[in-house]
Amino acid sequence: MKAKYVSIFFALAFASVSCKVNDIGLYSDENPRIEFAGLVTYTFSDDEYLNAHILGGEEYSEVKFTARLIGYFLEAPRTFAVTSEPIASAFNPVFRFDNPYTFPAEQSEYAAAFRVRCPEREDVSTRETTNTGQAYIVYDNSSAYQQFGEGRVENLACRVDVVLQIYPTDWNSAFWGSYSTSKYLLMMETFEAVHGDIQQTAGNKTRIREAYAAYKSANGPLYGDDGASETEISFPD
């Protein structure tokens, strides 16, 4: 009886090893295969928005996605290329890629850098509502740089989530009044600075009131966020 159980054990062990070898062999033919590992999320801050859209500075921030090799390590580096595909979402994020990328030998994963453009003001999130722009990164199999076959179907796209959240955690409601994204955007445009760098002086309060009066005269009033969307912004005396 013991011999029977021992035979069954070795048979199962052999079957398990065989499955693992076959699983690797499935992806270790003449053309190594590649896929993505995980998703990417990036949240832009008020500093980044100020620099990109008010001060005329760098509009793109560097982010990384992870490419993963299927099968055995490469004996020599190989190149690959990626592109993007849109997803129905709050807005369409804009990417820049550094094609071609080079996957190094003797590594199972490679962190590849790309750049994401700071979203526009109409894409900003509020404190209660997060507006997320989404797109896929996919391998560009039409590129001459693509020296890999496709990996597993479920990992052939990397979703990228992009958010613009400008709310400053140190917002001073006693001095500036209730927070709203439209109020803060006006302040950043007026002072060319973020909240923490705007001096809380009587002169600056007068200046922002005058700036809002001029804006309102030309464009109409600004309103609060979410539940206060019908309440016009104001600045305390």
Side-chain angles (χ1 to χ4, degrees):
M1 182 66 72
K2 290 184 179 179
K4 177 180 178 182
Y5 286 127
V6 170
S7 298
I8 293 174
F9 172 79
F10 280 111
L12 291 174
F14 177 78
S16 175
V17 171
S18 298
C19 287
K20 291 179 180 178
V21 170
N22 290 337
D23 186 47
I24 294 175
L26 186 63
Y27 295 102
S28 60
D29 54 18
E30 295 179 359
N31 197 20
R33 297 175 182 262
I34 196 172
E35 64 182 18
F36 293 100
L39 58 83
V40 176
T41 300
Y42 191 82
T43 299
F44 284 85
S45 67
D46 54 351
D47 279 296
E48 290 171 301
Y49 178 88
L50 176 76
N51 187 56
H53 297 303
I54 297 176
L55 300 182
E58 178 56 57
E59 296 182 348
Y60 288 80
S61 291
E62 184 177 293
V63 192
K64 292 185 177 181
F65 65 87
T66 301
R68 179 167 56 199
L69 182 69
I70 294 293
Y72 300 115
F73 288 157
L74 300 175
E75 295 181 359
R78 289 195 176 214
T79 62
F80 65 91
V82 295
T83 187
S84 62
E85 292 182 353
I87 302 176
S89 59
F91 61 91
N92 295 319
V94 178
F95 306 146
R96 282 184 179 173
F97 300 111
D98 295 325
N99 290 312
Y101 294 91
T102 301
F103 200 109
E106 302 300 323
Q107 286 187 207
S108 61
E109 293 186 345
Y110 172 63
F114 70 106
R115 284 163 287 182
V116 181
R117 187 176 186 272
C118 183
E120 303 288 345
R121 62 180 299 141
E122 57 266 25
D123 302 322
V124 67
S125 295
T126 67
R127 294 181 67 185
E128 297 180 12
T129 303
T130 300
N131 292 324
T132 305
Q134 296 179 319
Y136 286 126
I137 299 176
V138 297
Y139 292 108
D140 186 358
N141 295 317
S142 66
S143 171
Y145 297 116
Q146 189 69 9
Q147 297 181 328
F148 292 88
E150 294 185 347
R152 291 168 289 192
V153 173
E154 63 269 26
N155 296 325
L156 292 183
C158 171
R159 197 185 79 211
V160 182
D161 294 350
V162 179
V163 174
L164 171 59
Q165 178 55 266
I166 64 172
Y167 173 69
T169 56
D170 60 347
W171 177 264
N172 189 338
S173 297
F175 192 85
W176 300 115
S178 299
Y179 174 83
S180 76
T181 54
S182 62
K183 175 186 284 189
Y184 189 31
L185 286 167
L186 178 66
M187 289 173 62
M188 284 196 287
E189 291 166 357
T190 301
F191 297 107
E192 296 187 339
V194 295
H195 174 266
D197 295 331
I198 302 173
Q199 293 186 346
Q200 297 174 21
T201 64
N204 277 344
K205 186 173 286 187
T206 298
R207 182 179 173 188
I208 191 60
R209 284 175 175 162
E210 291 174 347
Y212 179 51
Y215 177 93
K216 183 176 178 180
S217 176
N219 304 285
L222 294 172
Y223 295 93
D225 298 330
D226 301 306
S229 61
E230 295 184 0
T231 302
E232 184 179 352
I233 69 167
S234 62
F235 295 92
D237 296 332

